[in-house]
Amino acid sequence: MEEALGKGFELLYDGKDAEALALFTPMLSGRSDGAHKRPQLLQLSYGAGLAHYHTNNLEQAISELQRFLQLRDELLAEVEDFTPPLAGVPLARFYLSHALFNSQRLPEAKVQLDLYLDHVAADGPQRVLNMPDGWGGKKITPAERAASRFRSRASSNEAQADAHTMLALLAERETGSEAALPHLLKCAELAGPERQQAEAHDNLARVYKTLGRDEDATVQRALAEQALEKHKAKEEEAARKKKEEAEPPEAPPPEALAGEADAGGEAGSEGAAAEEKSGKSE
């Protein structure tokens, strides 16, 4: 099982989710709930949950990720030794939160979002392991390198901003616009790419308008427009560079080639004449 698990996670980290599920699913369907197998089942549920989420199978993702968290809680409570997934628990909670939110299971989504943010705060920033093997005397496996990218993204400011956006929407729905403000302000603080910044400021502008704070809404609307303009400029620049890389260099016009040939001929004639003149003087 260990070899198949390792191969499944290798495929998962490489973006080959369907192939990973082809390995995980038979092992999950044939499993038992024996206590001695729980550490392996924990890994299986984690891997399958991530792969199902990536392929938009939300119900299956919810089922497996909830099973993973339940098994983890049981093993921790019993002080049972087990290997935690390399990509980390925050990633599982982040995916589970999204899946629950998009499935309209909103109270459960809120619980997981709060737990996700708590876990990220406790773990601190996560770096990508892209240093040379043996750095600091530690050997880094390919699986650890690949998993570190998932772990880093799950704890990034961008991911946390996304979580605060969902919490803001839930708070606004449950309590009202005032309750959404702290999460929206935190989202604007953490937002990464310009498009996310634009959405954060746009949401703040909408809520401020609802609360009758027109001046604040105007400021946020202007910030949203600035961020969106930067986003569009970057997209246009990227498209221009992509087009330049795809297109072969333009050939010089025929008249330019003809001009070069004439110039070469004239230079050759002048050289020959000079040599002839030199020969006569001798």
Side-chain angles (χ1 to χ4, degrees), residues 30-85:
R31 70 191 178 185
S32 68
D33 291 328
H36 64 292
K37 292 186 176 180
R38 283 185 300 174
Q40 289 82 11
L41 297 181
L42 175 143
Q43 295 281 354
L44 276 171
S45 291
Y46 182 90
L50 266 56
H52 278 305
Y53 179 83
H54 291 160
T55 53
N56 205 36
N57 297 318
L58 298 187
E59 286 305 315
Q60 294 94 323
I62 289 169
S63 176
E64 293 301 341
L65 291 173
Q66 285 180 331
R67 194 190 310 273
F68 157 71
L69 291 168
Q70 180 184 346
L71 287 166
R72 176 179 175 272
D73 288 345
E74 291 174 3
L75 292 170
L76 287 173
E78 296 168 18
V79 199
E80 182 80 19
D81 187 36
F82 68 95
T83 302

Side-chain angles (χ1 to χ4, degrees), residues 189-208:
E189 174 190 333
L190 293 168
E194 283 81 6
R195 189 169 191 83
Q196 190 180 43
Q197 293 175 29
E199 290 173 355
H201 291 301
D202 195 56
N203 283 330
L204 272 169
R206 177 182 56 79
V207 169
Y208 278 138

Side-chain angles (χ1 to χ4, degrees), residues 15-257:
K16 299 175 181 176
D17 300 296
E19 294 176 49
L21 282 170
L23 283 177
F24 291 141
T25 303
M27 290 189 283
L28 282 166
S29 61
R31 70 191 178 185
S32 68
D33 291 328
H36 64 292
K37 292 186 176 180
R38 283 185 300 174
Q40 289 82 11
L41 297 181
L42 175 143
Q43 295 281 354
L44 276 171
S45 291
Y46 182 90
L50 266 56
H52 278 305
Y53 179 83
H54 291 160
T55 53
N56 205 36
N57 297 318
L58 298 187
E59 286 305 315
Q60 294 94 323
I62 289 169
S63 176
E64 293 301 341
L65 291 173
Q66 285 180 331
R67 194 190 310 273
F68 157 71
L69 291 168
Q70 180 184 346
L71 287 166
R72 176 179 175 272
D73 288 345
E74 291 174 3
L75 292 170
L76 287 173
E78 296 168 18
V79 199
E80 182 80 19
D81 187 36
F82 68 95
T83 302
L86 289 176
V89 176
L91 180 64
R93 292 202 186 279
F94 186 72
Y95 281 5
L96 179 56
S97 300
H98 262 270
L100 290 166
F101 188 89
N102 291 334
S103 300
Q104 293 301 299
R105 294 167 62 171
L106 303 182
E108 294 172 89
K110 183 180 184 306
V111 170
Q112 290 302 323
L113 286 165
D114 286 334
L115 289 170
Y116 159 76
L117 290 170
D118 289 345
H119 208 133
V120 168
D123 286 355
Q126 300 294 307
R127 63 178 180 173
V128 177
L129 301 178
N130 55 7
M131 67 285 289
D133 195 21
W135 185 271
K138 184 180 186 303
K139 180 174 177 59
I140 302 169
T141 67
E144 288 172 328
R145 287 185 195 280
S148 72
R149 292 193 289 272
F150 283 83
R151 193 169 59 246
S152 177
R153 286 199 297 269
S155 63
S156 66
N157 285 353
E158 184 179 349
Q160 292 179 67
D162 193 31
H164 279 290
T165 297
M166 286 187 281
L167 284 168
L169 293 171
L170 292 171
E172 187 176 17
R173 177 178 178 143
E174 292 173 4
T175 313
S177 298
E178 193 73 44
L181 271 181
H183 289 297
L184 291 177
L185 289 167
K186 193 66 178 176
C187 178
E189 174 190 333
L190 293 168
E194 283 81 6
R195 189 169 191 83
Q196 190 180 43
Q197 293 175 29
E199 290 173 355
H201 291 301
D202 195 56
N203 283 330
L204 272 169
R206 177 182 56 79
V207 169
Y208 278 138
K209 187 72 176 174
T210 302
L211 295 172
R213 296 170 58 174
D214 292 346
E215 289 185 9
D216 290 327
T218 300
V219 169
Q220 293 300 323
R221 191 74 69 192
L223 290 171
E225 289 174 1
Q226 289 173 18
L228 195 57
E229 285 174 6
K230 288 181 182 178
H231 169 72
K232 288 179 178 177
K234 284 187 176 180
E235 278 194 333
E236 289 170 1
E237 178 65 12
R240 184 187 64 78
K241 287 183 178 179
K242 186 177 180 181
K243 184 179 179 182
E244 287 178 354
E245 291 170 0
E247 292 179 349
E250 288 186 11
E255 55 269 23
L257 292 174

